[in-house]
Amino acid sequence: MVVISMLIFPLEIEISVNSFFSYRKKHDLNHDHVIEYSEFVQYYLSAEIKENFARYDANNDQMITKQELRDGLLKAGHEADMLDFEMNRILEKMDVNHDGQISYAEFADYYVKTNYSFDKK
């Protein structure tokens, strides 16, 4: 049996070649054959990300519309007179493909970058 040994932080993990390729296929989100830090973190934080995404995705279609974003911000306690400003700011940062809504992938990527990145900009 061939085993790939890799070092992730101070944790050493041994997995079989088949398990490695299966893991990479599932978690290499941009399909570049490399598991980047953000992809690794998304895997381990998937429950946390899904819970936060669900707070806004009212109809569970894996997209946050402007109306869902507005409703979610109101529920979170944002002031009504600042909603348009907040919504535009959030969409500007998270809506990478500029389609006017936030996909789960866009949300997860932004969530990891802003909460778990070593290189916050």
Side-chain angles (χ1 to χ4, degrees), residues 55-66:
R55 290 181 183 160
Y56 295 92
D57 183 21
N59 64 0
N60 297 314
D61 67 351
Q62 299 298 299
M63 299 295 282
I64 299 172
T65 64
K66 273 189 162 185

Side-chain angles (χ1 to χ4, degrees), residues 5-97:
S5 182
M6 63 184 108
L7 188 63
I8 301 175
F9 303 117
L11 173 66
E12 188 173 310
I13 299 173
E14 291 187 1
I15 60 174
S16 70
V17 171
N18 287 341
S19 294
F20 170 76
F21 287 115
S22 175
Y23 177 89
R24 188 183 73 187
K25 183 178 180 180
K26 183 176 181 181
H27 302 294
D28 180 18
L29 303 176
N30 63 3
H31 309 291
D32 65 353
H33 304 290
V34 175
I35 305 286
E36 282 92 15
Y37 176 73
S38 63
E39 293 168 329
F40 176 79
V41 172
Q42 280 186 41
Y43 170 71
Y44 283 99
L45 295 175
S46 62
E48 180 181 328
I49 294 169
K50 285 177 186 176
E51 179 182 319
N52 283 288
F53 185 82
R55 290 181 183 160
Y56 295 92
D57 183 21
N59 64 0
N60 297 314
D61 67 351
Q62 299 298 299
M63 299 295 282
I64 299 172
T65 64
K66 273 189 162 185
Q67 186 61 50
E68 288 172 322
L69 183 57
R70 174 184 289 280
D71 295 344
L73 291 172
L74 281 172
K75 285 180 187 175
H78 289 260
E79 296 180 26
D81 60 338
M82 294 295 288
L83 278 181
D84 287 334
F85 173 78
E86 287 293 323
M87 284 179 24
N88 289 331
R89 190 173 66 93
I90 290 168
L91 284 169
E92 183 180 305
K93 291 182 178 185
M94 295 177 83
D95 183 18
V96 176
N97 66 0

